[in-house]
Amino acid sequence: MRIEQVPAYELVLTQDIPDIHSKGYLLKHKKSGARVMLLENDDDNKVFNIAFRTPPADSTGVAHILEHSVLCGSQKYPLKDPFVELVKGSLNTFLNAMTYPDKTMYPVASCNEQDFKNLMHVYLDAVFFPNIYEKEEIFRQEGWHYELEEEDGPLKLNGVVYNEMKGAFSSPEDVLEREIFNSLFPDTPYGVEAGGDPKHIPELKYSDFLSFHSRYYHPANSYIYLYGDMDMEERLNWLDKEYLSQYDKIPVPSEIPLQKPFEKVRELEMEYSITESEPEEENSYLSYNVVVGDSLDVETCTAFEVLDYTLLSAPGAPLKQALLDAGIGKDIMGSYEDGIYQPFFSIVAKNANPQDKEKFVSLIQTTLKEIAENGVDQKAIAAGINYMEFRFREADFSSFPKGLMYGIDVFDSWLYDDSKPFDHVMRLAVFEKLKEKANTGYFEELIEKYLLTNTHASIVVVNPKRGLAVQEDRELEEKLAAYKASLSQEEIQRLVEDTRHLKAYQDEPETEEALRTIPLLKRSDIGKEAAKLYNTEKKVGDTLVLHHNLYTNGIGYLDLLFDLKQVPEHLIPYLGILKSVLGYVDTAHYKYGELFNEINARSGGITFGIQVFGDAQDNSRTIHVMGVRAKALYQDIPFVFGMIKEIIGTSCFDDEKRLYEILAKMKSRLQMSLAAAGHSTAVMRALSYFSENSNFQEKIAGIEFYKFIDEIEKKFQERKEELISSLKELMLYVFRPENLVVSYTADDKGYEELEKQVEKLKEKLYTCAVEMGEEKPKFTVRNEGFKTSGQVQYVAAAGNFKEAGYTYTGALRILKVMLSYEYLWMNIRVKGGAYGCMSSFRRNGDGFLVSYRDPNLTKTLEVFKKTGDFIRSFEADEREMTKYIIGTISETDTPLTPSAKGSMSLNAWFSNITEEDLQKERREILEAQPEDIRSLAGIVDAMMEQNRICVIGSEEKLEQEKKVFGEVRHLL
């Protein structure tokens, strides 16, 4: 980048950043005062982000509602939802917006240069010139509004953010997290809820909403980020010409103040809602929370990530173990919360008793004092540093572009100090410094300074209360009824008219003129070649090895997959326990804490898990495997195999105390995940009524598994012998040489050592005789409703179209995009007020429709049933069809890391999918016409006619509408 080529900007700082293979520039736009960061490198997955400091003054959620609303039309793109049009018709690799406690971000990414430019244009117009000033309907739809469909009907509250936050506030973990956050920073913007508290969201006035935008959405308060391989000068000059030059620099007071430290620790208690079936005893959360410096001190921030690992997160970590041994809570969770100006360290005991609060705090202090005096475990420190350094160097963020993640990381310093923009992406020197300081008392001093003698802390206790959510719902109904009773007839009529007006606005189709403002690529811009598979089949004796020959920068990605076909039906639920026990109990040569640290000190970790595969060609064939996944530098692969042999060959299952700790933690984490990811829970359950794969998953990870774990945990003394013998028996069924398939992602150099290590491993596997498991699962369509203490629903309807004689086609991937961002989006999100809606159609015929944080239930099921009618009436011209095709290809063409390419190839092999299948699917997508979409109506009709539903939702709603279910019961 040459500064003389961008005269509208002044160069503030340049920095070589070898840690992320980039050259960094910090610029200031002279006229508007906009801050601009460039990270120049050869990554073709280009990222743009514009962010604003948006400190909230109250809990009305104004920053969050604004984040939703500015993407609902702008000056140059006057559609009601250009965001959705982009999702449907862009090759983006990321497209979203995020609200944080002190900032709001609008990031996009794409590998296609023209597409990237288009995305930048739409997003910049959205944030600077949104339609919110002309269309109050946007605020009412995305934020909140009174809903009165007829004069005699009940008055309700609705709105996308309102329902989203009702869902967020239903989780006890979210309640605790919010109260911790607010308790530590009562005098700053962190002392309120940036996302919005449902009790306070209806206090937000339209005029205050607009003034928040005019105050903070100015270039002088903006942080603009460009990352990747692009013509930076061209982008900067375009940015100046199109947007920034229209503004003059103004003062925007948005600095985040530091909270003044407390003179003494703050204490507070809160309540969260549970259902009638959940216990009040041993169901509280105890937390001890301490503010740790500020995020500009990168060394201290990184050191506390290591301390989090060392003290709390690792199995056997001393602080966690002391609390568990004392019986304070059944699950101990810790976190070092960064991404804000003043990070904090939290220690949480879940499933605890409130009367143990003093003991909880005292034991934390005593244990930390002993560690500070006697020294932190050096092996644990080394493991923590290596684990974090390995992840930083690997830069594998799954499907998220690494440029996006770096662009989020830089805000940990840039937002609070313009002179320190790159500090959090320059970490390698910090890791080296921490290694040098590890044995000098440095970590012990941090414990003393921040965790022992620091009064900027809080003790937050959250206790259960039966029926609290139902009580609050009724209080809201009464409040709304009283408000309606206070209105005149004219005011009531106006509310009815406002409700009709909003629905008419939502129903009004986009004009052709508005639709054509959204820039669109051509079909010819899309590559015709499908993804390549990297499966070279080799043999080590009679064991298949799949070598995914890819350059991995010296890291080997290993998967050992053991077929579970021999496991008897009665042992299948124990597989869900076994995968969580292996690597977390003692072995012949290591205590479990030592084992974990030994592994992480020399590798990127070893994990055990279960995968299921459906045969794309044969719907009746399923494969279930226990997978051992590991990653390490090539030279450490022999070490990894050695540790795997240690775990498989010598794990001790007889430590009853340790087994109970693992069970209690599993139960605790399932309680959190089943309700929090209610859409996934409901989908898996509905699919389990008929799908062998989902039925299996339900038994090892779903509601059925939770019931199994709950029973064993409650009756541990009666069931422990059976548990131990079942785990030992499972080892004999699973870890056998004839069950093994090896998958390895590395180049030829990395492969050299592999075959020898596989041979040695096979010698240690079990060969004793076992009886084959032959039983098949029995299917029952239950159509269940599961009651929770939450205030929203997750509504799922599932089916299998191959059962009805239909076949899979690539056009179904287009249908998924169409439904998710057209029919379901309009009817469930926009009109219904749900936060989200999804659909899927798999190669094996399994499919589903589901809503997320949904205020409705039967209304949503009615929308699902009418999906086929929408598909039958589908019409599209060439431009509209191209848009859907591009959006579909965007989902299939996500850039993949070497590790992800290896995993994709492995999944294809097990699922019996060839490159020819992928090419056929791509051709069916690229060549699709409207009639191909209309022909899919029967598929969805067939799925809906099979009438397989599951709903996770509020007690009151499920009771009101229980006629749609076969049975209704409590989730937990």
Side-chain angles (χ1 to χ4, degrees):
M1 204 281 298
R2 296 157 296 173
I3 190 63
E4 64 274 9
Q5 300 296 317
V6 285
Y9 302 82
E10 63 176 286
L11 181 64
V12 179
L13 180 68
T14 61
Q15 178 78 54
D16 284 318
I17 313 175
D19 294 20
I20 59 169
H21 313 290
S22 298
K23 175 87 175 210
Y25 302 88
L26 188 66
L27 309 171
K28 193 88 161 203
H29 187 256
K30 294 172 185 173
K31 187 170 185 288
S32 70
R35 305 165 183 85
V36 183
M37 177 188 289
L38 314 177
L39 289 181
E40 211 171 36
N41 51 56
D42 62 1
D43 191 344
D44 68 349
N45 197 358
K46 295 169 269 292
V47 179
F48 163 76
N49 184 12
I50 182 163
F52 302 90
R53 254 196 320 231
T54 50
D58 54 39
S59 294
T60 58
V62 58
H64 187 189
I65 295 169
L66 197 54
E67 173 235 302
H68 279 239
S69 299
V70 301
L71 294 169
C72 292
S74 65
Q75 191 177 88
K76 289 179 181 169
Y77 307 103
L79 297 88
K80 286 182 290 185
D81 213 334
F83 171 77
V84 169
E85 293 304 308
L86 286 175
V87 173
K88 290 190 287 192
S90 157
L91 288 172
N92 73 84
T93 55
F94 187 85
L95 184 75
N96 214 327
M98 295 96 90
T99 304
Y100 292 85
D102 54 15
K103 58 189 172 283
T104 309
M105 290 185 187
Y106 298 89
V108 297
S110 181
C111 295
N112 181 285
E113 187 174 348
Q114 188 55 52
D115 189 49
F116 180 69
K117 291 178 179 180
N118 296 345
L119 294 171
M120 276 186 71
H121 212 334
V122 176
Y123 261 48
L124 283 162
D125 208 65
V127 298
F128 288 131
F129 304 111
N131 277 351
I132 57 173
Y133 293 92
E134 289 77 42
K135 301 280 186 185
E136 186 178 347
E137 296 93 337
I138 296 170
F139 166 71
R140 296 177 63 224
Q141 172 182 291
E142 297 299 318
W144 75 276
H145 62 272
Y146 287 119
E147 197 164 87
L148 186 61
E149 294 185 349
E150 51 194 19
E151 289 183 24
D152 297 332
L155 183 64
K156 297 177 184 176
L157 283 169
N158 207 346
V160 173
V161 170
Y162 176 73
N163 289 318
E164 176 188 352
M165 296 312 293
K166 278 181 79 174
F169 273 54
S170 298
S171 155
E173 289 76 27
D174 283 347
V175 171
L176 174 66
E177 184 182 337
R178 184 178 68 256
E179 293 306 328
I180 289 172
F181 199 67
N182 298 165
S183 72
L184 292 170
F185 311 104
D187 308 317
T188 80
Y190 298 152
V192 298
E193 177 52 54
D197 181 334
K199 289 176 183 168
H200 296 291
I201 287 172
E203 296 166 8
L204 180 62
K205 297 185 181 124
Y206 178 53
S207 57
D208 295 333
F209 165 77
L210 295 180
S211 67
F212 193 90
H213 180 270
S214 61
R215 186 183 320 133
Y216 292 123
Y217 279 60
H218 186 284
N221 188 44
S222 71
Y223 295 78
I224 296 169
Y225 170 85
L226 286 164
Y227 165 96
D229 183 8
M230 71 185 85
D231 185 340
M232 292 291 188
E233 290 97 339
E234 183 275 331
R235 285 290 81 198
L236 290 171
N237 286 323
W238 174 87
L239 185 59
D240 164 61
K241 180 186 169 194
E242 291 288 334
Y243 290 100
L244 300 183
S245 62
Q246 299 181 45
Y247 293 86
D248 290 315
K249 194 186 305 182
I250 60 167
V252 182
S254 63
E255 291 77 12
I256 311 303
L258 287 168
Q259 171 67 47
K260 185 180 175 185
F262 306 154
E263 290 183 5
K264 64 176 186 175
V265 177
R266 297 186 80 208
E267 295 192 29
L268 67 151
E269 291 197 11
M270 300 293 298
E271 291 176 327
Y272 75 95
S273 182
I274 56 171
T275 61
E276 292 300 321
S277 70
E278 293 175 79
E280 290 184 323
E281 304 75 32
E282 296 189 335
N283 212 359
S284 290
Y285 293 75
L286 311 177
S287 72
Y288 184 71
N289 321 285
V290 187
V291 174
V292 179
D294 64 58
S295 65
L296 299 174
D297 183 350
V298 181
E299 185 179 295
T300 300
C301 289
T302 309
F304 261 89
E305 289 175 22
V306 176
L307 280 174
D308 174 20
Y309 171 94
T310 306
L311 299 175
L312 274 169
S313 298
L319 194 49
K320 175 195 284 187
Q321 203 59 48
L323 291 165
L324 288 172
D325 289 348
I328 300 174
K330 295 182 179 179
D331 185 10
I332 306 300
M333 301 178 286
S335 62
Y336 173 67
E337 297 292 338
D338 56 6
I340 54 173
Y341 197 4
Q342 292 176 277
F344 60 90
F345 190 73
S346 277
I347 303 152
V348 177
K350 183 174 182 278
N351 298 126
N353 290 309
Q355 57 266 30
D356 285 337
K357 180 182 73 172
E358 302 302 329
K359 189 178 171 186
F360 169 70
V361 175
S362 173
L363 189 55
I364 289 171
Q365 293 281 343
T366 305
T367 306
L368 288 173
K369 200 164 186 298
E370 287 174 6
I371 294 168
E373 288 173 358
N374 301 327
V376 185
D377 181 346
Q378 290 300 303
K379 190 73 175 185
I381 291 287
I385 295 171
N386 180 72
Y387 180 68
M388 277 178 283
E389 183 178 354
F390 192 101
R391 286 169 61 198
F392 181 78
R393 288 181 181 273
E394 186 184 24
D396 186 349
F397 302 103
S398 186
S399 61
F400 296 107
K402 60 185 176 184
L404 168 75
M405 305 311 290
Y406 295 147
I408 293 172
D409 287 344
V410 296
F411 280 98
D412 288 358
S413 57
W414 190 24
L415 195 77
Y416 315 112
D417 188 338
D418 285 349
S419 69
K420 296 183 173 181
F422 306 119
D423 289 21
H424 281 270
V425 289
M426 298 170 64
R427 303 285 287 274
L428 294 180
V430 177
F431 292 129
E432 290 306 312
K433 205 178 281 188
L434 292 180
K435 289 173 191 173
E436 291 167 13
K437 289 185 172 185
N439 206 12
T440 65
Y442 170 75
F443 286 96
E444 291 78 6
E445 287 169 15
L446 290 178
I447 291 171
E448 182 72 33
K449 178 179 178 181
Y450 290 109
L451 302 184
L452 284 171
T453 61
N454 181 8
T455 54
H456 193 171
S458 71
I459 299 163
V460 179
V461 179
V462 181
N463 295 314
K465 182 176 179 181
R466 283 207 179 99
L468 179 62
V470 173
Q471 176 189 323
E472 289 177 345
D473 280 346
R474 285 185 183 149
E475 285 172 0
L476 177 61
E477 283 174 19
E478 289 167 9
K479 183 180 176 183
L480 289 169
Y483 173 67
K484 185 187 173 191
S486 73
L487 299 176
S488 67
Q489 191 62 30
E490 292 76 18
E491 288 169 322
I492 288 174
Q493 285 173 346
R494 194 175 308 127
L495 280 178
V496 172
E497 186 52 41
D498 285 346
T499 302
R500 285 178 188 152
H501 175 78
L502 180 59
K503 291 192 183 302
Y505 168 79
Q506 293 166 337
D507 281 333
E508 187 182 350
E510 301 284 12
T511 67
E512 189 63 31
E513 183 182 13
L515 283 168
R516 288 191 176 274
T517 61
I518 294 290
L520 189 66
L521 301 173
K522 300 189 258 321
R523 291 201 201 193
S524 57
D525 292 321
I526 307 170
K528 295 201 166 29
E529 294 301 312
K532 186 173 166 49
L533 298 178
Y534 301 87
N535 287 323
T536 303
E537 296 186 17
K538 300 181 179 181
K539 285 285 186 132
V540 177
D542 56 359
T543 297
L544 174 69
V545 177
L546 293 172
H547 178 205
H548 318 295
N549 196 339
L550 292 155
Y551 175 73
T552 59
N553 200 25
I555 299 172
Y557 296 93
L558 173 70
D559 286 278
L560 306 175
L561 301 121
F562 293 89
D563 198 313
L564 300 174
K565 63 179 177 291
Q566 297 186 30
V567 176
E569 184 74 14
H570 72 277
L571 286 177
I572 284 173
Y574 291 96
L575 286 167
I577 301 176
L578 182 65
K579 71 179 174 60
S580 299
V581 167
L582 291 172
Y584 293 88
V585 293
D586 295 348
T587 63
H589 301 99
Y590 299 94
K591 295 290 185 187
Y592 64 89
E594 297 168 350
L595 177 76
F596 196 78
N597 288 330
E598 186 72 23
I599 289 168
N600 284 313
R602 289 189 57 186
S603 74
I606 298 171
T607 56
F608 288 75
I610 295 174
Q611 291 170 269
V612 300
F613 303 96
D615 191 311
Q617 319 303 331
D618 181 356
N619 193 33
S620 65
R621 181 173 169 269
T622 61
I623 303 169
H624 310 142
V625 300
M626 172 76 79
V628 188
R629 176 161 289 177
K631 53 188 174 184
L633 298 173
Y634 290 164
Q635 64 265 28
D636 289 320
I637 289 295
F639 163 79
V640 163
F641 268 95
M643 298 311 287
I644 292 171
K645 283 184 281 189
E646 175 82 11
I647 294 168
I648 290 176
T650 73
S651 283
C652 171
F653 301 113
D654 296 313
D655 184 344
E656 296 170 8
K657 175 177 172 292
R658 180 61 188 151
L659 276 184
Y660 181 77
E661 287 174 2
I662 293 171
L663 273 176
K665 177 181 174 181
M666 289 175 69
K667 177 181 171 181
S668 161
R669 302 300 163 96
L670 274 167
Q671 285 173 336
M672 289 190 268
S673 64
L674 290 177
H679 60 309
S680 300
T681 305
V683 164
M684 187 195 294
R685 186 70 172 185
L687 287 167
S688 75
Y689 300 157
F690 60 91
S691 163
E692 189 172 330
N693 268 348
S694 295
N695 190 277
F696 179 86
Q697 287 178 296
E698 176 66 19
K699 288 172 183 168
I700 59 158
I703 295 172
E704 195 72 28
F705 182 61
Y706 174 76
K707 285 158 51 186
F708 175 73
I709 287 283
D710 184 43
E711 175 76 11
I712 296 179
E713 189 266 340
K714 283 176 179 169
K715 299 178 179 176
F716 185 73
Q717 290 305 316
E718 299 168 38
R719 301 282 300 268
K720 62 186 181 184
E721 295 300 331
E722 172 201 334
L723 171 62
I724 291 167
S725 65
S726 296
L727 293 176
K728 289 178 177 177
E729 189 180 359
L730 265 180
M731 296 294 285
L732 306 181
Y733 277 103
V734 176
F735 296 107
R736 307 176 65 81
E738 68 268 26
N739 292 346
L740 177 62
V741 172
V742 179
S743 163
Y744 191 53
T745 305
D747 58 21
D748 285 329
K749 183 176 186 303
Y751 185 81
E752 288 171 2
E753 179 69 24
L754 185 81
E755 294 190 2
K756 188 189 349 174
Q757 296 301 325
V758 172
E759 283 285 12
K760 289 180 181 177
L761 173 72
K762 287 170 65 180
E763 292 167 9
K764 299 293 183 183
L765 297 177
Y766 300 101
T767 54
C768 53
V770 291
E771 289 184 28
M772 287 278 284
E774 292 292 341
E775 304 145 86
K776 285 284 186 182
K778 297 177 177 66
F779 296 117
T780 307
V781 178
R782 293 191 173 94
N783 288 356
E784 296 151 300
F786 290 96
K787 295 189 281 190
T788 72
S789 58
Q791 296 175 296
V792 289
Q793 283 62 248
Y794 304 88
V795 183
N800 185 286
F801 56 84
K802 285 192 173 179
E803 279 182 23
Y806 293 95
T807 56
Y808 179 82
T809 165
L812 283 165
R813 296 196 68 152
I814 303 176
L815 181 63
K816 173 181 178 290
V817 173
M818 280 176 48
L819 294 182
S820 298
Y821 294 104
E822 183 71 42
Y823 175 72
L824 297 181
W825 179 277
M826 281 301 302
N827 289 284
I828 289 174
R829 188 185 191 278
V830 174
K831 296 180 189 175
Y835 181 46
C837 46
M838 289 137 265
S839 62
S840 181
F841 307 93
R842 299 170 182 167
R843 285 178 181 270
N844 67 356
D846 290 348
F848 62 82
L849 309 177
V850 66
S851 66
Y852 180 79
R853 292 184 181 172
D854 188 348
N856 302 307
L857 199 166
T858 49
K859 278 185 182 177
T860 294
L861 290 171
E862 284 303 313
V863 170
F864 288 168
K865 285 175 187 171
K866 294 174 182 173
T867 305
D869 294 339
F870 163 77
I871 299 168
R872 260 183 293 278
S873 63
F874 174 74
E875 294 287 350
D877 60 17
E878 175 60 21
R879 187 180 193 278
E880 187 76 358
M881 200 65 215
T882 297
K883 178 176 65 182
Y884 285 120
I885 288 167
I886 290 170
T888 305
I889 291 295
S890 170
E891 286 195 352
T892 66
D893 284 6
T894 305
L896 300 175
T897 61
S899 166
K901 286 177 182 175
S903 294
M904 181 191 74
S905 301
L906 169 67
N907 291 341
W909 188 88
F910 268 104
S911 302
N912 200 9
I913 296 170
T914 64
E915 285 188 354
E916 290 73 22
D917 294 325
L918 296 177
Q919 192 61 56
K920 177 175 180 285
E921 178 189 64
R922 191 178 188 88
R923 188 173 64 252
E924 288 166 347
I925 294 169
L926 290 174
E927 296 176 359
Q929 298 300 327
E931 56 267 27
D932 298 310
I933 303 301
R934 290 193 291 272
S935 71
L936 305 175
I939 284 178
V940 181
D941 284 342
M943 286 168 49
M944 294 303 101
E945 283 163 10
Q946 289 163 11
N947 190 32
R948 294 146 168 175
I949 64 165
C950 178
V951 177
I952 315 287
S954 76
E955 284 185 274
E956 201 163 28
K957 194 75 168 176
L958 266 69
E959 280 300 322
Q960 286 170 0
E961 305 188 15
K962 64 182 180 183
K963 63 182 181 296
V964 304
F965 300 108
E967 52 186 298
V968 174
R969 50 205 173 102
H970 291 281
L971 178 66
L972 303 178

